[in-house]
Each structure stands twice: as C-alpha cells, then as structure tokens.
Amino acid sequence: MNAPQSVNIVMIEDDEGHARLIEKNIRRAGIMNPIRHFTDGTTALDYIFNDTSGPQLNGPALVLLDLNLPDMSGTDILAKIKTSDGPVKRTPVVVLTTTDDSREIQRCYDLGANVYITKPVNYESFAQAIRQLGLFLSVIQVPDLGDAHG
C-alpha cells in the first residue's frame, strides 16, 4: 500500500491578481500542497485528464474553479469532471467566482460542485474568504482516487 499522496490543488483562474491572492492566502492558512495554476479551461482539462501528474493518472486533487474563463465556462469544466468515467469524478470542486446569481449557484451544485464561494469585491473580504477556504482545505478529506479501479 502506498503512503498517502499529497493532494494537488488545481486552480483554474484567468485573473492573475485573483490567482496570486488565492495562492497567497492559502499559503497563509498553512496549506503547503502543490498548486497548479491554469488560466483557461482547455489546458486545465488536458492536465486533469491526460497529464501524468494530473488527477486522472496520479491521484488525489482538489479543483478551485472560476466560472468566467476566456475559452469555456466553468460549469462546462465542472460537468466534464463530474460526469467523467474514472477517478476524476470524485475530485472535490470548489467554485470560486464573482457570480452570485442563485440560478448559477444551484446549477453548480446540481452539476456536483462541493463548495460554492462568491468572490467578494472588497480585497480584504476576498482575502478573508480565501483564508477560511485554506482552513477548510486543511481539514477536508479527499477521496483516494486509487480506490476507483475495481
């Protein structure tokens, strides 16, 4: 039996400022897991499903997903992850977005999002929300994707 793997954090966020803020505050919360940052859905999905270090082939991950991306909607990415065959569909997805439309929130949960966080416009509130997310990440149990083969 292998030792538990470190959970890779896959951040899909096209706004570089938001990405830096998210990473900085996750680190501030004491989360030292590797963070892979993608600015568009196409390369993120390719990593998730095809890369040898991605969750489909290499085990546990957590996805931080922005809904407003340049090439596709975050809900499409969420649907692809949650309807996939294989271990990736168990990957927890945290939606982090500026959209607070209740229909969009409902849709994300219907598609299988685990957490939906609206990015506050105010910098300090956003930083605080991410620190709280970091605390959440420090206690979350991520399924061992290796158990899916069977």
Side-chain angles (χ1 to χ4, degrees), residues 44-57:
L45 285 171
D46 186 54
Y47 171 78
I48 288 168
F49 288 103
N50 303 319
D51 194 287
T52 53
S53 60
Q56 181 75 17
L57 303 172

Side-chain angles (χ1 to χ4, degrees), residues 2-54:
N2 297 348
Q5 282 174 281
S6 175
V7 174
N8 288 313
I9 297 172
V10 179
M11 176 170 46
I12 311 171
E13 167 64 75
D14 64 323
D15 183 312
E16 291 291 346
H18 285 180
R20 280 194 300 276
L21 186 65
I22 291 166
E23 183 158 0
K24 186 170 84 177
N25 284 289
I26 285 175
R27 297 294 181 228
R28 247 186 218 159
I31 305 296
M32 293 302 142
N33 302 46
I35 296 177
R36 294 290 302 264
H37 176 217
F38 299 92
T39 55
D40 66 84
T42 308
T43 49
L45 285 171
D46 186 54
Y47 171 78
I48 288 168
F49 288 103
N50 303 319
D51 194 287
T52 53
S53 60

